[in-house]
């Protein structure tokens, strides 16, 4: 694809990083955010070439528009973005839940040039201050087409993903949401609850293990509220499976069943090592 | 204290690292392990000055003996170690549960020169291959005296801890076990169960968050079996509190209660940030 001009809608951690990565690759990047201070920070940090505080002006002349807003904002913005964006441009999002986005994409007049997206990248910090061009390097970037997404659209979106240094992986939206409930959305909940568990007096006794396990708790609450609610059926299913397994091992601990406790820990060790060997 | 010669009993990750740190500080270190291959590795890697495959010979002439074995082995070894070690030497352990160890220390003829210990350091790997002298640098090293531990013993143990680069913190064994159930033992269980949750097909979709959250799952199953069982009452209490909180937020997700979900996530974000600012 010829990607000369891209517009990033939503200049938080993901949008800001995406802008910076595209700029580094020579793409001219225009940024839009409803929060003027996010746009100012993005401009000041050089994450975008120029800002526009008007959505129509922001997407005019773009070859690609990427929505990096919380899922609820993406759903709200999509009809306008589709209406205002030249039909020659592709439209992509970067939200962590795909079924509601892809369902919305299907209803758009420009559905053929639109595709769902999700970069498996992030950190516990948020906002354009935390953005960095290398955020996507070597990471999976999932592309979830709708029934109306055309092959050229998917190909162009894959090219954009490759420009970011990420690995495009095409998968159906419903598979994405089921897998991510397990690998990302449940872990977020677990980290939040664990962070709430620890008392102020405990702080001198916190080791690196707990710090790693609560890192995700620092993530943006509004973004995560949307993710958990828009994927609630999968998240609730996975949480219930998790709780049942946890109760099982806690029962073995309570019963003093050394053999069973060691058995579960050994299985967890094998699984943990396999996970660490796996790439995202 | 004059610490010229130390003996490390148990040459895994903790014992091997402790030997290496003491050696770096000019202490002459003798190592003992029931597993001859652990002793060989420790010797080959220079974690100890010399090995001894006989416990009596290993502790002879030592100024300090540190037991770095799983808690069940420590409880079994303590009477012999006390009997064989010169009364001029202090005895310390490095186990993650303190009540059963300190109770055992109180029964020893040499109880006055013995004190419980626990370095808040570790990693997901185990064995002398993973040992490194810097493991304890800047970490808390808890000292849990028994009712019979003397002040000079506590002072000498603190000096040994300082030689490792760690920060000695004195606290009662039962407080230690209650706090660590929350900050270490429950997190270990949560990581194990999460690692077991993830399927092989999920692996390409694993981001840095999940990797961090399952890192602890890689820890040694035998050591952790002992920790969980010897601290079972506290671990079960903390797990039940955790499960109840998790069920509460899962119910809010299921009910689509956006306000409550965002409220919990925001509280978790504040707690998570406070945790990351805290030092161990």
């Amino acid at each position: 694809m010829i990607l000369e001009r891209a517009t990033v809608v939503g200049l938080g951690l993901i949008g800001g990083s995406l802008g910076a990565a595209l700029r580094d690759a020579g793409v001219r990047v225009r940024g839009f955010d409803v929060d003027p201070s996010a746009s100012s920070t993005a401009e000041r940090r050089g994450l975008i070439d120029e800002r526009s505080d008007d959505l129509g002006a922001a997407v005019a002349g773009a070859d690609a528009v990427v929505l990096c807003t919380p899922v609820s904002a993406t759903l709200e913005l999509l009809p306008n973005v589709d209406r205002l964006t030249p039909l020659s441009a592709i439209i992509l999002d970067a939200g962590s839940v795909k079924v509601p986005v892809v369902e919305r994409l299907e209803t758009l007049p420009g559905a053929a040039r639109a595709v769902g997206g999700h970069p498996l990248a992030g950190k516990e910090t948020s906002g354009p201050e935390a953005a960095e061009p290398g955020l996507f390097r070597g990471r999976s970037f999932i592309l979830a087409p709708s029934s109306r997404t055309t092959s050229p659209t998917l190909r162009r979106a894959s090219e954009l993903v490759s420009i970011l240094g990420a690995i495009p992986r095409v998968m159906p939206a419903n598979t994405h949401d089921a897998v991510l409930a397990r690998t990302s959305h449940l872990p977020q909940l677990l980290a939040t609850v664990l962070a709430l568990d620890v008392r102020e007096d405990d702080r001198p006794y916190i080791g690196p293990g707990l710090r790693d396990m609560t890192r995700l708790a620092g993530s943006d609450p509004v973004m995560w509220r949307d993710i958990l609610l828009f994927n609630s059926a999968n998240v609730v299913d996975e949480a219930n499976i998790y709780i049942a397994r946890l109760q099982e091992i806690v029962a073995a601990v309570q019963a003093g069943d050394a053999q069973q406790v060691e058995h579960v820990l050994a299985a967890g060790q094998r699984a943990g090592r396999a996970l660490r060997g796996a790439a995202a």
Side-chain angles (χ1 to χ4, degrees), chain A:
Chain A
M1 126 172 108
I2 300 164
L3 178 58
E4 284 179 357
R5 292 165 183 275
T7 298
V8 178
V9 176
L11 298 169
L13 169 66
I14 298 294
S17 298
L18 208 134
L22 289 174
R23 276 203 75 190
D24 278 2
V27 179
R28 183 150 186 92
V29 178
R30 205 179 281 151
F32 171 89
D33 201 294
V34 285
D35 174 7
S37 81
S39 301
S40 302
T41 303
E43 214 174 13
R44 179 175 49 75
R45 292 199 59 213
L47 308 173
I48 54 176
D49 289 291
E50 53 183 326
R51 70 187 273 180
S52 172
D53 295 339
D54 173 80
L55 187 59
V59 300
D63 302 310
V65 175
V66 190
L67 283 91
C68 301
T69 40
V71 177
S72 59
T74 300
L75 295 178
E76 244 179 80
L77 282 165
L78 268 174
N80 267 337
V81 168
D82 181 52
R83 189 172 51 78
L84 296 165
T85 301
L87 264 181
S88 56
I90 60 164
I91 295 174
L92 182 68
D93 85 309
S96 300
V97 184
K98 293 277 62 77
V99 167
V101 171
V102 166
E103 281 175 354
R104 182 64 51 96
L105 293 181
E106 273 168 355
T107 68
L108 300 177
R113 50 67 177 268
V115 60
H118 178 209
L120 299 191
K123 20 182 204 174
E124 71 284 7
T125 47
S126 47
E129 287 293 359
E132 43 174 303
L135 192 67
F136 310 103
R137 209 164 289 143
R139 302 277 174 208
S140 291
F141 196 124
I142 292 163
L143 293 172
S146 85
S147 64
R148 296 178 59 199
T149 305
T150 62
S151 308
T153 299
L154 199 53
R155 186 177 44 70
R156 289 168 68 193
S158 295
E159 286 170 22
L160 186 151
V161 165
S162 300
I163 289 174
L164 302 173
I167 304 147
R169 294 183 192 271
V170 178
M171 76 193 289
N174 57 353
T175 309
H176 169 277
D177 289 1
V179 170
L180 271 285
R182 207 158 39 237
T183 61
S184 167
H185 308 170
L186 174 64
Q188 173 65 42
L189 266 187
L190 299 179
T192 293
V193 175
L194 186 57
L196 289 171
D197 240 25
V198 179
R199 305 178 191 174
E200 222 173 296
D201 290 353
D202 293 344
R203 288 192 195 149
Y205 312 108
I206 293 170
L210 182 65
R211 255 204 304 271
D212 275 2
M213 290 206 60
T214 52
R215 192 178 63 79
L216 285 179
S219 308
D220 181 51
V222 171
M223 185 181 88
W224 277 97
R225 174 202 68 194
D226 277 12
I227 294 169
L228 297 173
L229 292 177
F230 280 111
N231 199 22
S232 62
N234 285 313
V235 168
V236 169
D237 282 355
E238 289 300 332
N240 287 333
I241 292 169
Y242 185 89
I243 289 168
R245 278 217 179 115
L246 181 57
Q247 283 171 326
E248 217 175 294
I249 179 166
V250 170
V253 169
Q254 188 156 27
D257 185 343
Q259 207 182 342
Q260 174 64 7
V261 171
E262 187 182 333
H263 173 77
V264 174
L265 288 167
Q269 186 185 42
R270 286 189 298 275
R273 286 181 175 171
L275 272 180
R276 289 188 68 74

